[in-house]
Amino acid sequence: MPTRTARLAALGVLALAASPALAHTGAGAAASFMDGFLHPLGGLDHVLAMVAVGLWAGVSGGRAVWSYPLAFLSFMVVGGLFGIADVGLPAVETGIALSVVVLGAALAFGLKLPAAAGAALVAAFAVFHGHAHGAEMAAGADAAGYAVGFVAATALLHGIGIGLSPRAVPRLPLMATRAAGGAIALAGIGLLVL
């Protein structure tokens, strides 16, 4: 029981620490490992999508537990490199908001995909998240440190999601995860209309 309470408290702290606004200001002020680490935690859109990836991986089980987060992290780095290089990517904010809707809906409806298909889906969305992270990096900043920071924070959020899944917390009913998925999807719809 204390472990579940600690996990839920950690998720609550992260959710409350995240700004209700999007994390992308376009200011390009981020320059260090800590800036990179804080960037995914600074916006509700990133927090919800990244925790949802972990939850969906945990609920799906098997290879999904490692392939979904690994695919997300890998393609987020690709998107981050595009953002750092100032390579344009259309509809970044829309792609990020859609990721929240789709990943939340996958949880809410208990979507079961082969691990490769689920990994491909999260990878596609990860490019948008990564682009947003990379585009925020200041010119001349420590790109490697900044990237390691946003990858570490994202891995932490995935881990929280996996840790909150019914597979990790057997007494947690699957319906609680589905309800969380529905709430995440609704928040994503809210992000789309903002």
Side-chain angles (χ1 to χ4, degrees), residues 5 13-14 41-42 53 65 72 75 90 92 94 97-98 101 104-105 110 114 140 155 157 171 180 184:
T5 303
V13 167
L14 286 173
L41 304 176
V53 167
V65 172
F72 193 98
F75 280 83
V92 171
T94 302
L98 280 174
V101 173
L157 291 169
R171 293 187 300 214
I184 289 168

PDB file of all heavy atoms in Angstrom, residues 5 13-14 41-42 53 65 72 75 90 92 94 97-98 101 104-105 110 114 140 155 157 171 180 184:
ATOM      1  N   THR A   5       0.800   4.358  -2.810  1.00  0.00           N
ATOM      2  CA  THR A   5       0.572   5.731  -2.371  1.00  0.00           C
ATOM      3  C   THR A   5       1.728   6.628  -2.787  1.00  0.00           C
ATOM      4  O   THR A   5       1.511   7.741  -3.265  1.00  0.00           O
ATOM      5  CB  THR A   5       0.382   5.766  -0.838  1.00  0.00           C
ATOM      6  OG1 THR A   5      -0.695   4.896  -0.498  1.00  0.00           O
ATOM      7  CG2 THR A   5       0.097   7.169  -0.361  1.00  0.00           C
ATOM      8  N   VAL A  13       2.505  15.119  -7.795  1.00  0.00           N
ATOM      9  CA  VAL A  13       3.474  16.217  -7.706  1.00  0.00           C
ATOM     10  C   VAL A  13       3.900  16.659  -9.099  1.00  0.00           C
ATOM     11  O   VAL A  13       3.957  17.844  -9.403  1.00  0.00           O
ATOM     12  CB  VAL A  13       4.699  15.807  -6.858  1.00  0.00           C
ATOM     13  CG1 VAL A  13       5.838  16.790  -7.012  1.00  0.00           C
ATOM     14  CG2 VAL A  13       4.295  15.683  -5.400  1.00  0.00           C
ATOM     15  N   LEU A  14       4.179  15.691  -9.964  1.00  0.00           N
ATOM     16  CA  LEU A  14       4.577  16.036 -11.334  1.00  0.00           C
ATOM     17  C   LEU A  14       3.450  16.753 -12.073  1.00  0.00           C
ATOM     18  O   LEU A  14       3.681  17.717 -12.793  1.00  0.00           O
ATOM     19  CB  LEU A  14       4.998  14.790 -12.108  1.00  0.00           C
ATOM     20  CG  LEU A  14       6.354  14.224 -11.736  1.00  0.00           C
ATOM     21  CD1 LEU A  14       6.579  12.891 -12.438  1.00  0.00           C
ATOM     22  CD2 LEU A  14       7.463  15.202 -12.084  1.00  0.00           C
ATOM     23  N   LEU A  41       8.824  18.429 -18.144  1.00  0.00           N
ATOM     24  CA  LEU A  41       8.037  18.547 -16.924  1.00  0.00           C
ATOM     25  C   LEU A  41       7.284  19.873 -16.852  1.00  0.00           C
ATOM     26  O   LEU A  41       6.427  20.046 -15.993  1.00  0.00           O
ATOM     27  CB  LEU A  41       8.947  18.412 -15.699  1.00  0.00           C
ATOM     28  CG  LEU A  41       9.791  17.139 -15.619  1.00  0.00           C
ATOM     29  CD1 LEU A  41      10.702  17.193 -14.399  1.00  0.00           C
ATOM     30  CD2 LEU A  41       8.918  15.901 -15.609  1.00  0.00           C
ATOM     31  N   GLY A  42       7.613  20.785 -17.744  1.00  0.00           N
ATOM     32  CA  GLY A  42       7.053  22.129 -17.688  1.00  0.00           C
ATOM     33  C   GLY A  42       5.755  22.324 -18.434  1.00  0.00           C
ATOM     34  O   GLY A  42       5.221  23.425 -18.463  1.00  0.00           O
ATOM     35  N   VAL A  53       2.263   6.951 -22.334  1.00  0.00           N
ATOM     36  CA  VAL A  53       3.089   5.941 -23.012  1.00  0.00           C
ATOM     37  C   VAL A  53       3.484   4.854 -22.013  1.00  0.00           C
ATOM     38  O   VAL A  53       3.376   3.652 -22.301  1.00  0.00           O
ATOM     39  CB  VAL A  53       4.353   6.574 -23.657  1.00  0.00           C
ATOM     40  CG1 VAL A  53       5.354   5.497 -24.072  1.00  0.00           C
ATOM     41  CG2 VAL A  53       3.977   7.428 -24.851  1.00  0.00           C
ATOM     42  N   VAL A  65       6.442  -3.236 -22.865  1.00  0.00           N
ATOM     43  CA  VAL A  65       6.965  -2.574 -21.663  1.00  0.00           C
ATOM     44  C   VAL A  65       8.279  -1.864 -21.966  1.00  0.00           C
ATOM     45  O   VAL A  65       8.536  -0.786 -21.435  1.00  0.00           O
ATOM     46  CB  VAL A  65       7.120  -3.573 -20.492  1.00  0.00           C
ATOM     47  CG1 VAL A  65       7.831  -2.943 -19.313  1.00  0.00           C
ATOM     48  CG2 VAL A  65       5.755  -4.090 -20.077  1.00  0.00           C
ATOM     49  N   PHE A  72       9.718   5.678 -28.246  1.00  0.00           N
ATOM     50  CA  PHE A  72       9.432   7.086 -27.991  1.00  0.00           C
ATOM     51  C   PHE A  72      10.728   7.858 -27.773  1.00  0.00           C
ATOM     52  O   PHE A  72      10.944   8.908 -28.387  1.00  0.00           O
ATOM     53  CB  PHE A  72       8.506   7.242 -26.775  1.00  0.00           C
ATOM     54  CG  PHE A  72       7.924   8.615 -26.648  1.00  0.00           C
ATOM     55  CD1 PHE A  72       6.655   8.882 -27.108  1.00  0.00           C
ATOM     56  CD2 PHE A  72       8.649   9.654 -26.073  1.00  0.00           C
ATOM     57  CE1 PHE A  72       6.104  10.163 -27.007  1.00  0.00           C
ATOM     58  CE2 PHE A  72       8.119  10.930 -25.964  1.00  0.00           C
ATOM     59  CZ  PHE A  72       6.839  11.182 -26.433  1.00  0.00           C
ATOM     60  N   PHE A  75      12.866   8.210 -31.138  1.00  0.00           N
ATOM     61  CA  PHE A  75      12.339   9.133 -32.140  1.00  0.00           C
ATOM     62  C   PHE A  75      12.173  10.539 -31.587  1.00  0.00           C
ATOM     63  O   PHE A  75      12.164  11.507 -32.354  1.00  0.00           O
ATOM     64  CB  PHE A  75      11.057   8.581 -32.757  1.00  0.00           C
ATOM     65  CG  PHE A  75      11.368   7.552 -33.804  1.00  0.00           C
ATOM     66  CD1 PHE A  75      11.622   6.232 -33.451  1.00  0.00           C
ATOM     67  CD2 PHE A  75      11.455   7.909 -35.134  1.00  0.00           C
ATOM     68  CE1 PHE A  75      11.950   5.294 -34.404  1.00  0.00           C
ATOM     69  CE2 PHE A  75      11.781   6.982 -36.111  1.00  0.00           C
ATOM     70  CZ  PHE A  75      12.031   5.660 -35.740  1.00  0.00           C
ATOM     71  N   PRO A  90       5.742  20.747 -39.704  1.00  0.00           N
ATOM     72  CA  PRO A  90       4.418  21.379 -39.616  1.00  0.00           C
ATOM     73  C   PRO A  90       3.590  20.844 -38.451  1.00  0.00           C
ATOM     74  O   PRO A  90       3.727  19.684 -38.072  1.00  0.00           O
ATOM     75  CB  PRO A  90       3.770  21.017 -40.953  1.00  0.00           C
ATOM     76  CG  PRO A  90       4.505  19.834 -41.456  1.00  0.00           C
ATOM     77  CD  PRO A  90       5.883  19.893 -40.875  1.00  0.00           C
ATOM     78  N   VAL A  92       3.429  21.147 -35.141  1.00  0.00           N
ATOM     79  CA  VAL A  92       4.054  20.520 -33.975  1.00  0.00           C
ATOM     80  C   VAL A  92       3.095  20.514 -32.786  1.00  0.00           C
ATOM     81  O   VAL A  92       2.887  19.475 -32.149  1.00  0.00           O
ATOM     82  CB  VAL A  92       5.384  21.217 -33.605  1.00  0.00           C
ATOM     83  CG1 VAL A  92       5.918  20.722 -32.268  1.00  0.00           C
ATOM     84  CG2 VAL A  92       6.415  20.993 -34.701  1.00  0.00           C
ATOM     85  N   THR A  94      -0.127  20.749 -32.735  1.00  0.00           N
ATOM     86  CA  THR A  94      -1.264  19.871 -33.011  1.00  0.00           C
ATOM     87  C   THR A  94      -0.852  18.412 -32.855  1.00  0.00           C
ATOM     88  O   THR A  94      -1.600  17.607 -32.280  1.00  0.00           O
ATOM     89  CB  THR A  94      -1.808  20.125 -34.429  1.00  0.00           C
ATOM     90  OG1 THR A  94      -2.195  21.497 -34.527  1.00  0.00           O
ATOM     91  CG2 THR A  94      -2.996  19.236 -34.740  1.00  0.00           C
ATOM     92  N   ALA A  97      -0.676  17.659 -29.129  1.00  0.00           N
ATOM     93  CA  ALA A  97      -2.015  17.547 -28.545  1.00  0.00           C
ATOM     94  C   ALA A  97      -2.703  16.261 -29.004  1.00  0.00           C
ATOM     95  O   ALA A  97      -3.352  15.573 -28.201  1.00  0.00           O
ATOM     96  CB  ALA A  97      -2.852  18.773 -28.900  1.00  0.00           C
ATOM     97  N   LEU A  98      -2.545  15.913 -30.279  1.00  0.00           N
ATOM     98  CA  LEU A  98      -3.130  14.665 -30.781  1.00  0.00           C
ATOM     99  C   LEU A  98      -2.524  13.449 -30.086  1.00  0.00           C
ATOM    100  O   LEU A  98      -3.216  12.457 -29.854  1.00  0.00           O
ATOM    101  CB  LEU A  98      -2.948  14.544 -32.289  1.00  0.00           C
ATOM    102  CG  LEU A  98      -3.931  15.323 -33.147  1.00  0.00           C
ATOM    103  CD1 LEU A  98      -3.537  15.233 -34.618  1.00  0.00           C
ATOM    104  CD2 LEU A  98      -5.358  14.832 -32.940  1.00  0.00           C
ATOM    105  N   VAL A 101      -4.437  12.944 -26.968  1.00  0.00           N
ATOM    106  CA  VAL A 101      -5.766  12.378 -27.249  1.00  0.00           C
ATOM    107  C   VAL A 101      -5.657  10.895 -27.589  1.00  0.00           C
ATOM    108  O   VAL A 101      -6.350  10.049 -27.011  1.00  0.00           O
ATOM    109  CB  VAL A 101      -6.462  13.136 -28.408  1.00  0.00           C
ATOM    110  CG1 VAL A 101      -7.766  12.448 -28.803  1.00  0.00           C
ATOM    111  CG2 VAL A 101      -6.715  14.587 -28.044  1.00  0.00           C
ATOM    112  N   GLY A 104      -4.257   8.663 -24.701  1.00  0.00           N
ATOM    113  CA  GLY A 104      -5.300   8.539 -23.675  1.00  0.00           C
ATOM    114  C   GLY A 104      -6.416   7.625 -24.126  1.00  0.00           C
ATOM    115  O   GLY A 104      -6.886   6.774 -23.364  1.00  0.00           O
ATOM    116  N   ALA A 105      -6.833   7.766 -25.386  1.00  0.00           N
ATOM    117  CA  ALA A 105      -7.896   6.910 -25.922  1.00  0.00           C
ATOM    118  C   ALA A 105      -7.449   5.452 -25.988  1.00  0.00           C
ATOM    119  O   ALA A 105      -8.248   4.543 -25.731  1.00  0.00           O
ATOM    120  CB  ALA A 105      -8.326   7.410 -27.296  1.00  0.00           C
ATOM    121  N   GLY A 110      -8.655   0.337 -24.068  1.00  0.00           N
ATOM    122  CA  GLY A 110      -7.919  -0.916 -23.965  1.00  0.00           C
ATOM    123  C   GLY A 110      -7.365  -1.399 -25.290  1.00  0.00           C
ATOM    124  O   GLY A 110      -7.382  -2.594 -25.572  1.00  0.00           O
ATOM    125  N   PRO A 114      -0.027  -5.181 -31.793  1.00  0.00           N
ATOM    126  CA  PRO A 114       1.269  -5.855 -31.732  1.00  0.00           C
ATOM    127  C   PRO A 114       2.323  -4.847 -31.264  1.00  0.00           C
ATOM    128  O   PRO A 114       2.212  -3.646 -31.546  1.00  0.00           O
ATOM    129  CB  PRO A 114       1.518  -6.285 -33.179  1.00  0.00           C
ATOM    130  CG  PRO A 114       0.163  -6.306 -33.816  1.00  0.00           C
ATOM    131  CD  PRO A 114      -0.642  -5.246 -33.109  1.00  0.00           C
ATOM    132  N   GLY A 140      24.107  27.960 -29.463  1.00  0.00           N
ATOM    133  CA  GLY A 140      25.394  27.862 -28.780  1.00  0.00           C
ATOM    134  C   GLY A 140      25.347  27.127 -27.458  1.00  0.00           C
ATOM    135  O   GLY A 140      26.345  27.075 -26.741  1.00  0.00           O
ATOM    136  N   ALA A 155      12.195   9.564 -19.810  1.00  0.00           N
ATOM    137  CA  ALA A 155      12.313   8.197 -19.295  1.00  0.00           C
ATOM    138  C   ALA A 155      11.706   8.093 -17.897  1.00  0.00           C
ATOM    139  O   ALA A 155      11.030   7.104 -17.577  1.00  0.00           O
ATOM    140  CB  ALA A 155      13.774   7.764 -19.283  1.00  0.00           C
ATOM    141  N   LEU A 157       9.224   9.927 -16.720  1.00  0.00           N
ATOM    142  CA  LEU A 157       7.764   9.965 -16.876  1.00  0.00           C
ATOM    143  C   LEU A 157       7.230   8.636 -17.404  1.00  0.00           C
ATOM    144  O   LEU A 157       6.178   8.164 -16.958  1.00  0.00           O
ATOM    145  CB  LEU A 157       7.359  11.122 -17.789  1.00  0.00           C
ATOM    146  CG  LEU A 157       7.574  12.516 -17.198  1.00  0.00           C
ATOM    147  CD1 LEU A 157       7.400  13.592 -18.265  1.00  0.00           C
ATOM    148  CD2 LEU A 157       6.636  12.771 -16.031  1.00  0.00           C
ATOM    149  N   ARG A 171      -3.112  -4.512  -7.247  1.00  0.00           N
ATOM    150  CA  ARG A 171      -4.394  -4.182  -6.610  1.00  0.00           C
ATOM    151  C   ARG A 171      -5.094  -3.016  -7.293  1.00  0.00           C
ATOM    152  O   ARG A 171      -6.238  -2.710  -6.978  1.00  0.00           O
ATOM    153  CB  ARG A 171      -4.192  -3.881  -5.127  1.00  0.00           C
ATOM    154  CG  ARG A 171      -3.764  -5.133  -4.363  1.00  0.00           C
ATOM    155  CD  ARG A 171      -3.738  -4.880  -2.905  1.00  0.00           C
ATOM    156  NE  ARG A 171      -2.806  -3.812  -2.579  1.00  0.00           N
ATOM    157  CZ  ARG A 171      -2.083  -3.753  -1.497  1.00  0.00           C
ATOM    158  NH1 ARG A 171      -2.186  -4.698  -0.603  1.00  0.00           N
ATOM    159  NH2 ARG A 171      -1.274  -2.758  -1.273  1.00  0.00           N
ATOM    160  N   ALA A 180      -8.270   6.845 -16.185  1.00  0.00           N
ATOM    161  CA  ALA A 180      -7.166   7.790 -16.351  1.00  0.00           C
ATOM    162  C   ALA A 180      -6.936   8.077 -17.830  1.00  0.00           C
ATOM    163  O   ALA A 180      -6.705   9.221 -18.224  1.00  0.00           O
ATOM    164  CB  ALA A 180      -5.896   7.240 -15.709  1.00  0.00           C
ATOM    165  N   ILE A 184      -7.067  11.637 -19.689  1.00  0.00           N
ATOM    166  CA  ILE A 184      -5.952  12.121 -20.498  1.00  0.00           C
ATOM    167  C   ILE A 184      -6.451  12.514 -21.890  1.00  0.00           C
ATOM    168  O   ILE A 184      -6.091  13.580 -22.408  1.00  0.00           O
ATOM    169  CB  ILE A 184      -4.842  11.049 -20.577  1.00  0.00           C
ATOM    170  CG1 ILE A 184      -4.146  10.914 -19.213  1.00  0.00           C
ATOM    171  CG2 ILE A 184      -3.820  11.378 -21.672  1.00  0.00           C
ATOM    172  CD1 ILE A 184      -3.235   9.699 -19.100  1.00  0.00           C
TER     173      ILE A 184
END
